[in-house]
Amino acid sequence: MIVRREWKGGNTMLQSGTCYIVGAGAFYDRDFVPEEGDFVIAADGGYGTLSVRQTAMDLVVGDFDSMGFRPDHPKVVDLPVEKDDTDMMAAIRLGWDRGYRTYRLYGGTGGRADHTLANLQSLVWLSRRGGRGFLVGENWTAAAITDGEMTFPAEYTGVVSVFCQGDRAEGVTLEGLKYTLEEAVLTCDFPLGVSNAFTGRESRVAVRKGTLLVVWYR
């Protein structure tokens, strides 16, 4: 699968690797394969998950209220309990400041619904700034695209849904899926893009102006 969007890095030196962030929710290890050049952050209770897996962590961040103790790690960023950012969002910002623009978020689902929604919003935050993020659930993955496109290879099967983020998404094009669109307008108050399907062909989701949240099941 390919996501295309112009990156705007400002004065930050961009990193070519992926920032992996693991939160306190349910952990599904699909495509969890940090390599050299990647950056691994434990967000609060994600520290326990990565410790059990014996995965090296580059940074640990959180208020640690759910853990009840401060992790014994050489690089810890302490956050106040009362704050605007969730622990996951704070971790994303820290990765962003270090130049990472590609993110894979784990442990961000399976618990409180409001935190899952917050993590979906974080995908939009990344997309609108020229980054890309993938939130990994039990049998689904979500990503956001802004003024850009995603393509999926022919071997993808299952359900894919597309949702408008913001008032309008203009120039929405769906190709190679069961239900197609061409230069359509989606709005945030009607779920026209729900429950589409892959067809065994290469497929494409594109938006000319606006942001789409794309969720696919495999």
Side-chain angles (χ1 to χ4, degrees), residues 49-97:
T49 300
L50 292 175
S51 295
V52 169
R53 292 178 56 91
Q54 297 184 334
T55 300
M57 293 164 260
D58 298 292
L59 195 66
V60 181
V61 58
D63 53 34
F64 309 119
D65 58 343
S66 62
M67 294 176 57
F69 66 93
R70 186 180 188 274
D72 182 17
H73 189 274
K75 294 184 179 180
V76 176
V77 176
D78 292 288
L79 301 176
V81 174
E82 296 182 359
K83 56 187 181 301
D84 292 334
D85 286 344
T86 63
D87 292 328
M88 182 75 80
M89 189 67 230
I92 290 171
R93 290 184 188 272
L94 288 166
W96 189 271
D97 290 344

Side-chain angles (χ1 to χ4, degrees), residues 13-33:
M13 182 177 294
L14 298 185
Q15 304 292 336
S16 60
T18 297
C19 183
Y20 288 81
I21 302 177
V22 179
F27 181 81
Y28 307 104
D29 64 356
R30 187 168 63 257
D31 297 325
F32 186 80
V33 285

Side-chain angles (χ1 to χ4, degrees), residues 24-48:
F27 181 81
Y28 307 104
D29 64 356
R30 187 168 63 257
D31 297 325
F32 186 80
V33 285
E35 300 176 348
E36 185 177 354
D38 295 336
F39 198 74
V40 179
I41 303 178
D44 202 82
Y47 174 80

